[in-house]
Amino acid sequence: MTEFLRDKHIQYVKDLDSKITQKSYEYWLSEHLRMNGLYWGVVVLVTLDVLEETLPKKDVFTYIESCWDSTQGGYGSFPGHDAHILSTLSAIQIQAIYQKEVEELDFPHKNEVVSYIKGLQRENGSFQGDTFGEIDTRFTYTAINALSILGELDTELVSKGVDFIMKCENFDGGFGMVPGAESHAAQVFVCVATLSITSSLHLIKNKEILCEWLSERQVLPSGGLNGRPEKLPDVCYSWWVLSSLSILDKLSWIDDKKLKEYILGCQDELGGGFCDRPGNQTDVFHTCFGIAGLSLLESLEQDSAGGPVLNPVDPTYCMPYSTTKKFRKWPYDKK
Amino acid sequence: MQHGIKRTILSKEARQDKYERDAIKISTYRNLTATIFQRRAESDFSTEALELATNLLNLNPEFYSVWNYRREILLDLIKKEPGSKKTRLEYDLKMIMAFLRRYPKCYWIWNHRVWCLQELATSNEANWAFELGIVSKLLEMDARNYHGWQYRRFVVESMEDSKKHNASNSDEYATELLEITFKEYQYTTAKINNNISNFSAWHNRSKVIPKLYRLWKSHGQNSDQYRELVTTFQSPYSILIHELELIKTGMYMDADDTSIWLYLQWLLTDQLFVDDLNKREDGSDGKKSFRSILDEELDIIEELNELEKDDHPENKDHVWCLKSIIVIKKLIAKELVDKEQKYRVESEIKEAFEKLIELDSLRKGRYIDQLKEFREEVTTV
């Protein structure tokens, strides 16, 4: 089995914003994803326990502030870009992860962000990604995740949001992007994680069928996980499927050793980073979800001799437990 | 996010070459981006600005802020000249089509198409039939495209909404709805006949069938148009029999395909079918009971399993056959009252789980849990 190339991955993330990287066209073509990219990089570094020394907090917070869209009251992905719910969640998550020393999390634009997100919920409980109306269960998760970190969920929003999620449940146990849509592992993750944040997992009609569906995502000969029946495996599903199984307490329903082998086989041995399938181009998205997946798998290993290699990641939020333990969980205590 | 792109290692010279070529591209891209943001800051909603947005989106179709700016320009242009609405938005639809051929999985492009059509729909100018044709073409290129199927359902729903809007009474509306749903049913049949492993089509079929049944019952039985449904859609029972026959072919064609096994599970557990079967007395009106359907399916799958075993070098059971045998036997065990019979079926289920632990080692942990839970269930009962 290929070993885990820790130092190369750290270097890989470090280089994502280097002068050399900036010489390639692709760097500029990904501006619209920069805030998400930053979050993925931060998750890698914090899981490897080298966050602050690699990416100083001051620089990161300056960047985040430069992406603040005061017209909308949310964060864009890059300075001058429009606010979107995806980049707003990433900005909130990064700020939360960096607040290691504090007891109570603090966010510079908290009130505006809360009203921005709440304003994106529609009558039927769904959330749109921005003011232009795209609907997707991804955005429900994004909204509810961000509000949960901010400690600002409320009863009506949660109950309508959860109702919408439950309309997306299918006969195979999985969930889709909107009611009627086919089950897809990434959509299963966002729906299950939303139910987990809102303490609503009991609403799942048939947990066994859902977990069977999730376990069927592991395929041979590679041992990797796919996102839907009869599709190719891809490293990012190591996160979408594993986190769901972990939330549902069924991580043992797939073969962890085979999966670990597959994930490790997707490393770029020269340049660091992970890709979707062995031999392909790496990117920070797959690097994040490959390493977060490995962290979940590590939680299964009995033998912890030598201490943990990876910081444990909370499957519901895709952030370290050390961060997620800092905010209150739904339902809030009535005080 | 890179998907399915081969990793290439460039030599020092090749990398230098790339940087030089990229430098020109970067400067064009960044200049264009700067110009566009400048114009937007100045609230420039001219056709010239629209063209610049087209150019930039051609370089980067994921640039969501530019799509947003494009929509602001379009709305403004249309406000100034309402008569231009159809032409302008249809221009965008054409442009998006070219984009989709290059980037069939880009959310932002699909999103813009939906937006254009929703705008057109407000003045009853959306051509939904044309859209259905477009998405059928795209699903020919990639029969599993998640966005494509989603877009198809969006088009169908929008078509239904527009019929609701234009129909003079509820009967007329239901008749229109029936026609649309019937075509979608036929579409899933065609897609499945094309490739039995297309789970996206099976999924859609599971959504279309209950709807088509309701509509046909209330509004279609006297129409010649639906002769195909007269025998198949007589009752949930007849649909079930028809669908079981359909997947039987699939099982024999490719027993390793997971789609049909999932669909079988739907057929045997959905309330639509189960309620209809439980409603009738055993063997009345010459129809089979739920129990005898389960027995028949079991026979088919056990026979298939034997064939698969013969083909296997070590004479091993077929994993999907075993899994489906368990599903069916669990349903049978629920129906049984006779203690001895029940005990026998339950022992067989346990045996099948034990085989799966050996044969499907990826999911060993699952079978161990399920076996344990099953044992506990049986003891408590």
Side-chain angles (χ1 to χ4, degrees), chain A residues 82 182 216 276 281 283, chain B residues 2 4-5 40 146 200 323:
Chain A
D82 293 353
E182 183 185 344
E216 294 299 341
D276 57 350
Q281 189 63 50
D283 61 63
Chain B
Q2 309 274 353
I5 300 166
R40 193 182 186 195
Y146 195 71
S200 305
K323 284 192 250 207

Side-chain angles (χ1 to χ4, degrees), chain A residues 25-26 29 82 170 178 180 182 208 212 215-216 218 228-230 234 253 255 276 279-281 283, chain B residues 2-5 7 18 22 40 64-65 68 144 146 200 203 207 258 323 362-363 366 369-370:
Chain A
Y25 188 39
E26 292 75 20
L29 285 182
D82 293 353
N170 290 318
V178 289
E182 183 185 344
E208 187 177 7
E212 281 182 355
S215 76
E216 294 299 341
Q218 189 166 36
R228 288 187 282 158
E230 307 299 317
D234 177 334
W253 283 29
D255 185 330
D276 57 350
N280 281 353
Q281 189 63 50
D283 61 63
Chain B
Q2 309 274 353
H3 281 107
I5 300 166
R7 191 183 307 153
K18 182 185 178 315
D22 279 8
R40 193 182 186 195
Y64 68 91
S65 305
N68 291 349
R144 294 294 307 279
Y146 195 71
S200 305
H203 164 84
K207 300 282 177 187
T258 54
K323 284 192 250 207
L362 287 182
R363 282 160 278 273
R366 159 179 148 191
D369 279 0
Q370 288 182 312

Side-chain angles (χ1 to χ4, degrees), chain A residues 20-26 28-33 40 75-84 86-87 130 132-134 136 138 169-172 175-184 187 208-209 211-213 215-220 223 228-231 234 236 250 252-255 258 266-270 275-283 285-286, chain B residues 1-9 16 18-19 22-23 25-26 29-30 33 37 40 59-60 62-69 71-72 75 105 107-108 111 115 118 142 144-147 149-150 153 157 197-204 206-207 254 256-259 262-263 265-266 269-270 320 323 327 330 353 360-367 369-370 373 377:
Chain A
I20 293 284
T21 314
Q22 293 184 10
K23 281 163 92 172
S24 63
Y25 188 39
E26 292 75 20
W28 297 98
L29 285 182
S30 64
E31 283 174 344
H32 64 279
L33 269 177
W40 297 325
Y75 290 95
S77 224
F78 197 78
H81 291 208
D82 293 353
H84 192 280
L86 293 173
S87 37
D130 60 16
F132 286 96
E134 186 182 4
D136 189 323
R138 283 186 305 150
E169 194 179 29
N170 290 318
F171 80 83
D172 53 25
F175 292 81
M177 81 201 286
V178 289
E182 183 185 344
S183 300
H184 181 295
Q187 309 288 156
E208 187 177 7
I209 287 191
C211 293
E212 281 182 355
W213 187 89
S215 76
E216 294 299 341
R217 305 283 54 79
Q218 189 166 36
V219 289
L220 288 171
R228 288 187 282 158
E230 307 299 317
K231 299 284 283 184
D234 177 334
C236 63
K250 291 281 183 285
S252 62
W253 283 29
I254 50 112
D255 185 330
K258 287 286 281 183
C266 288
Q267 299 177 101
D268 177 349
E269 290 178 30
L270 290 172
C275 57
D276 57 350
R277 281 186 280 286
N280 281 353
Q281 189 63 50
T282 55
D283 61 63
F285 170 83
H286 287 94
Chain B
M1 289 175 251
Q2 309 274 353
H3 281 107
I5 300 166
K6 275 270 158 271
R7 191 183 307 153
T8 44
I9 300 164
Q16 206 47 47
K18 182 185 178 315
Y19 288 151
D22 279 8
K25 288 196 218 164
I26 292 169
Y29 179 78
R30 294 191 68 191
T33 305
F37 276 115
R40 193 182 186 195
L59 297 178
N60 183 6
E62 304 238 1
F63 208 148
Y64 68 91
S65 305
V66 179
W67 283 114
N68 291 349
Y69 180 33
R71 288 187 276 268
E72 289 162 6
L75 287 175
K105 291 182 180 174
Y107 284 93
W108 310 106
N111 185 30
W115 180 83
Q118 281 172 336
D142 173 6
R144 294 294 307 279
N145 185 317
Y146 195 71
H147 300 273
W149 279 98
Q150 187 40 43
R153 283 182 292 265
E157 271 171 38
S197 301
N198 188 342
F199 183 72
S200 305
W202 288 111
H203 164 84
N204 233 30
S206 80
K207 300 282 177 187
D254 181 5
D256 291 325
D257 173 56
T258 54
S259 312
L262 282 170
Y263 193 70
Q265 199 161 345
W266 176 66
T269 52
D270 194 273
W320 272 104
K323 284 192 250 207
V327 170
K330 274 188 171 178
F353 271 129
D360 189 23
S361 65
L362 287 182
R363 282 160 278 273
K364 193 169 136 190
R366 159 179 148 191
Y367 303 127
D369 279 0
Q370 288 182 312
E373 265 168 49
E377 240 171 72

Side-chain angles (χ1 to χ4, degrees), chain A residues 208, chain B residues 326 329-331 333-334 342-343 345-351 353 367-381:
Chain A
E208 187 177 7
Chain B
I326 291 177
K329 285 195 174 164
K330 274 188 171 178
L331 292 169
K334 253 197 247 170
K342 210 177 172 95
Y343 180 78
V345 176
E346 283 163 356
S347 318
E348 288 165 4
I349 293 173
K350 285 180 212 158
E351 248 172 66
F353 271 129
Y367 303 127
I368 293 172
D369 279 0
Q370 288 182 312
L371 183 59
K372 202 173 128 233
E373 265 168 49
F374 184 71
R375 279 207 179 107
E376 279 163 11
E377 240 171 72
V378 171
T379 354
T380 6
V381 174

